Amino acid sequence: MTLLKSWHGLLADMQKIDAYKKYVESIEKQISSFLEYAIDGSRLKENSDKNLPFYGIPFGVKDNIAVKDFKLTCGSNILKDFVSPYTATAVKRLEEQGAVPVGKTNLDEFGMGSSTDNSALLKSNNPWKLNSVCGGSSGGSAASVAAGLVPFALGSDTGGSVRQPASFCGCYGLKPTYGAVSRFGLVAYASSLEVVGILGQDIETTKAVFNTIAFEDELDQTSFGIIENAPSDDAAVIGIIKQVAGLSPQIEQSYNETIEELKSKGYKVVVIDIPALEYVVPAYYTIATAEASANLARFTGIRYGFRADDIDTQEKMVAATRNQGFGDEVKLRILLGTYVLRSGFQDQYYIRAQKIRTAIRQGFDRAFNECDLILSPVFPTQAFIRGEGELSAFAQKMADNFTASANLAGIPSMAIPTGVKDGLPVGMQLMGPEFSEERIFKVARKLSHMAKDVVPPILDSSWRK
Ligand code: GLN
């Protein structure tokens, strides 16, 4: 039985709902992946057709993606009581196929971070080791999927936020081609880089969700859906990037094992050289923070969200609202963004970063003349322990090196579980040319036996039987 079949109809069955609720409650006590959840079947439309592919199947939604009547906090105090008046297109597409959003998952505030510890509202724990982070920024989505609370969840990926927590928690994480999925209803962090992505327990589920949410939406003029003639054939040649360095021993070992595995499946492996990748992190943080400074200017306390009170002028009210409402990482990025955009200095930072972005995109274009997909690590380490010995905030940013390149280039990439080392999962990513998701699924399937033991001990699916 496929995974989705085993969840089919769940929220239409009172007895199962009861068992499900108990399971979620017992796991949530340990991992806290949801900021809010409602497991009662009430969102399943009464006249919903039992033959729909996602009928009665629960899923999680990162809390920067709108679902009507659920809160939309973005993990921030500035929106902590804000209830969404509408539903994002990606969520709506799934609801139309019978799926039911059961909760909003925790995240780094506005998607800024790699651990989910930047959430102002909740600490989430890695289902493999509770003292470790679940990665970020879609950490709650990844943890809930890995722990079997939902078969899939939506996340967003601006610089790695779907793939990185997927590899920390041991599930699949697809960052689609830029524009394949509508961003309508996704709270903007860096609009030119981000896309709604999928965290899935297996490849077929991830693929089914992708095919449902990929859609040309008139509410998002940058959306395409899936184009005709998309590269969907199997790969023959897989590229590995010359510049890969700085991996922990566990990641390095798994990377080499994956390369060997690809060779044993008959793929030719070639080394590709994209010199501009050296500048991924500075280019990413220049462009992302510039866009963030503009996108987050809307949070003033005037129209919605938190408002600081007892202030006599509007100017002071806005300043106090933003000062009290945003966390430190968000403030840092707004300041950095306004710094790189200030008049007279754009050539030095923002425009330079755009030139690097073009060079990276062209570098990938050239590479895809030599290979069909690229294999790369996702992150230099496995999930790190919270507190002492933790990666510094700066080191976490430098570690976006492997993932943010796909966002700068707009190309698809999927994190796949490739094993367990020292009690924690490891993941690698497969990147491809624009709209090559289908090809990525094909190669991922050939590697899927590497993922078969990547199941956290906490997971129990017996309640579903
Ligand atoms: N870690 C990256 C950041 O902090 C990526 C975040 C994301 O993709 N939303 O910006």
Side-chain angles (χ1 to χ4, degrees), residues 316-352:
K316 283 189 199 154
M317 186 281 283
V318 172
T321 295
R322 291 168 68 80
N323 188 28
Q324 294 166 33
F326 288 137
D328 288 347
E329 184 64 32
V330 176
K331 285 179 192 161
L332 173 75
R333 294 191 191 203
I334 291 172
L335 288 173
L336 200 58
T338 48
Y339 182 82
V340 300
L341 284 177
R342 77 202 192 285
S343 71
F345 291 84
Q346 293 186 357
D347 278 351
Q348 216 173 320
Y349 300 108
Y350 185 71
I351 293 175
R352 209 154 160 203

Side-chain angles (χ1 to χ4, degrees), residues 291-312:
E291 293 185 16
S293 70
N295 277 327
L296 272 59
R298 72 192 63 174
F299 300 105
T300 56
I302 292 175
R303 289 200 207 84
Y304 40 66
F306 164 78
R307 175 186 296 175
D309 42 39
D310 290 336
I311 313 268
D312 48 9

Side-chain angles (χ1 to χ4, degrees), residues 62 64 108 110-115 118 136-138 156-164 189 194 284-285 288 329 333 379 396-397 400 403-404 407:
K62 185 178 182 178
N64 61 352
D108 288 304
F110 287 101
M112 299 176 182
S114 307
S115 63
N118 289 345
S137 63
S138 314
S156 64
D157 194 310
T158 311
S161 280
V162 162
R163 291 160 284 160
Q164 193 259 7
Y189 156 24
E194 63 207 2
Y284 168 75
Y285 276 96
E329 184 64 32
R333 294 191 191 203
F379 202 80
Q396 285 184 44
K397 291 189 173 71
D400 288 335
T403 47
N407 303 78

Side-chain angles (χ1 to χ4, degrees), residues 220-233:
D220 172 6
Q221 292 181 8
T222 64
S223 66
F224 300 87
I226 301 174
I227 57 159
E228 273 175 50
N229 305 322
S232 60
D233 53 329

Side-chain angles (χ1 to χ4, degrees), residues 149-286:
L149 303 183
V150 282
F152 67 90
L154 296 181
S156 64
D157 194 310
T158 311
S161 280
V162 162
R163 291 160 284 160
Q164 193 259 7
S167 73
F168 275 23
C169 293
C171 59
Y172 288 86
L174 175 68
K175 172 233 173 285
T177 304
Y178 181 78
V181 181
S182 169
R183 284 183 291 111
F184 180 74
L186 167 68
V187 178
Y189 156 24
S191 315
S192 79
L193 297 163
E194 63 207 2
V195 58
V196 171
I198 302 146
L199 295 113
Q201 252 183 3
D202 68 6
I203 299 167
E204 298 322 312
T205 301
T206 309
K207 178 180 145 118
V209 174
F210 173 67
N211 287 330
T212 304
I213 65 174
F215 174 64
E216 183 178 346
D217 183 7
E218 59 182 31
L219 298 172
D220 172 6
Q221 292 181 8
T222 64
S223 66
F224 300 87
I226 301 174
I227 57 159
E228 273 175 50
N229 305 322
S232 60
D233 53 329
D234 194 359
V237 183
I238 309 283
I240 53 172
I241 302 167
K242 187 178 162 202
Q243 290 83 355
V244 166
L247 305 177
S248 75
Q250 294 86 345
I251 302 291
E252 174 128 34
Q253 198 190 353
S254 189
Y255 181 48
N256 291 328
E257 285 165 7
T258 313
I259 294 171
E260 288 314 309
E261 206 49 47
L262 284 165
K263 287 183 185 160
S264 79
K265 296 283 180 220
Y267 295 108
K268 186 174 166 202
V269 175
V270 299
V271 177
I272 54 158
D273 185 6
I274 307 179
L277 290 181
E278 192 184 333
Y279 305 107
V280 164
V281 172
Y284 168 75
Y285 276 96
T286 303

